[in-house]
């Protein structure tokens, strides 16, 4: 069965600091990879996704992620965080379009002024 | 974009009562709906998969008689937590995959259930 590991439970950064959130998955076949953000009391929102092609994926709000197949990783990055980036971030993987996503445990990001 | 509307967003109920959670696909037909549960500080875990017009498929360890899923139409799937107990308190989220072979997934806003 697939599994997704997010190594950081809670990350605290100052505004303008750079961010990298780790995500590793266990499935060895073709995968679709996602990063979602969940602001307090709101829907899960898709930040970015990878299906194929360029392993460096750019998403909304200045986020990007790099798929490294050899490391089974899909780390999320942002060069300069803002206070408004405070939220919970979830990495997810699935192996086809009609199968459910498998989520990591999430990483809470707190950005302080 | 496609929207999945989930209601209620939060509910408090007494132990032993039942609670129904609805998920509606607003501008597309959801032949499949995934139901997830998220306990505090844990990941979203798949509970069951519902398909329109057929019985739901439950993940191991999820009681099908306790978590009743109905997917009677292409735009509505419901999850009923029967005889709720405090340990059922959790965050429940539905999700529908995109139709037409797309790889997107659309989520409801989630339901925070507290059983007292």
């Amino acid at each position: 069965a697939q599994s997704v590991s997010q190594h950081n439970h809670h990350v605290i950064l100052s505004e303008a600091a750079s961010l990298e959130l780790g995500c590793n998955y266990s499935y060895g076949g073709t995968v679709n990879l996602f990063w979602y953000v969940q602001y307090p009391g709101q829907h899960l929102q898709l930040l970015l996704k990878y299906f194929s092609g360029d392993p460096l994926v750019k998403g909304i709000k200045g986020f990007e992620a790099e798929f490294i197949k050899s490391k089974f990783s899909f780390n999320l990055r942002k060069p300069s965080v803002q206070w408004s980036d405070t939220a919970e971030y979830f990495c997810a993987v699935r192996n086809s379009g009609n199968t459910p996503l498998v989520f990591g445990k999430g990483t809470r990001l707190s950005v302080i002024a | 974009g496609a929207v999945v509307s989930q209601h209620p967003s939060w509910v408090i109920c007494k132990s032993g009562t039942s609670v129904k959670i609805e998920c509606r696909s607003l501008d597309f037909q959801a032949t499949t709906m995934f139901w997830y549960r998220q306990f505090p500080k844990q990941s979203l875990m798949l509970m069951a998969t519902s398909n329109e017009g057929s019985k739901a498929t439950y993940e191991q360890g999820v009681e099908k008689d306790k978590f009743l899923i109905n997917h009677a139409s292409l735009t509505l799937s419901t999850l009923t937590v029967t005889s709720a107990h405090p340990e059922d308190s959790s965050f429940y989220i539905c999700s529908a995959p995109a139709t037409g072979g797309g790889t997107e997934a659309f989520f409801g806003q989630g339901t925070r259930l507290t059983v007292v």
Side-chain angles (χ1 to χ4, degrees), chain A residues 62-112:
Chain A
F63 287 91
E64 65 177 31
E66 185 175 12
F67 169 54
I68 303 179
K69 188 175 182 179
S70 61
K71 295 184 178 180
F72 297 89
S73 70
F74 190 55
N75 292 355
L76 181 71
R77 299 194 291 248
K78 185 170 183 178
S80 176
V81 295
Q82 301 172 316
W83 178 82
S84 57
D85 293 323
T86 296
E88 189 94 17
Y89 292 82
F90 293 94
C91 180
V93 62
R94 70 179 177 194
N95 55 7
S96 70
N98 215 35
T99 56
L101 273 67
V102 177
F103 285 86
K105 289 188 175 182
T107 297
R108 179 175 296 177
L109 172 64
S110 298
V111 180
I112 55 178

Side-chain angles (χ1 to χ4, degrees), chain A residues 9 32 34 36 38 41-44 46 49 51 88 90 94 96-106 108, chain B residues 3-5 31-32 34 36 38 41-44 46 49 91 93 97-98 101-109:
Chain A
H9 175 63
N32 303 148
F34 303 82
Y36 286 88
Q38 187 175 32
Q42 295 190 27
H43 289 239
L44 282 172
L46 180 66
K49 57 190 176 186
F51 301 146
E88 189 94 17
F90 293 94
R94 70 179 177 194
S96 70
N98 215 35
T99 56
L101 273 67
V102 177
F103 285 86
K105 289 188 175 182
R108 179 175 296 177
Chain B
V3 174
V4 174
S5 178
T31 55
T32 299
F34 301 117
Y36 296 85
Q38 183 184 24
K41 298 184 179 181
Q42 295 189 27
S43 181
L44 283 79
L46 181 68
T49 302
F91 192 61
I93 305 177
T103 49
E104 186 53 85
F106 304 106
F107 287 86
Q109 68 265 48

Side-chain angles (χ1 to χ4, degrees), chain B residues 35-75:
Chain B
W35 286 94
Y36 296 85
R37 178 170 54 184
Q38 183 184 24
F39 291 110
K41 298 184 179 181
Q42 295 189 27
S43 181
L44 283 79
M45 299 297 294
L46 181 68
M47 298 176 64
T49 302
S50 71
N51 295 290
E52 187 268 337
S54 63
K55 289 184 178 180
T57 304
Y58 290 82
E59 296 300 299
Q60 191 173 12
V62 178
E63 301 173 57
K64 61 180 182 180
D65 294 330
K66 181 171 185 61
F67 298 99
L68 301 179
I69 290 174
N70 185 282
H71 196 152
S73 78
L74 289 171
T75 58

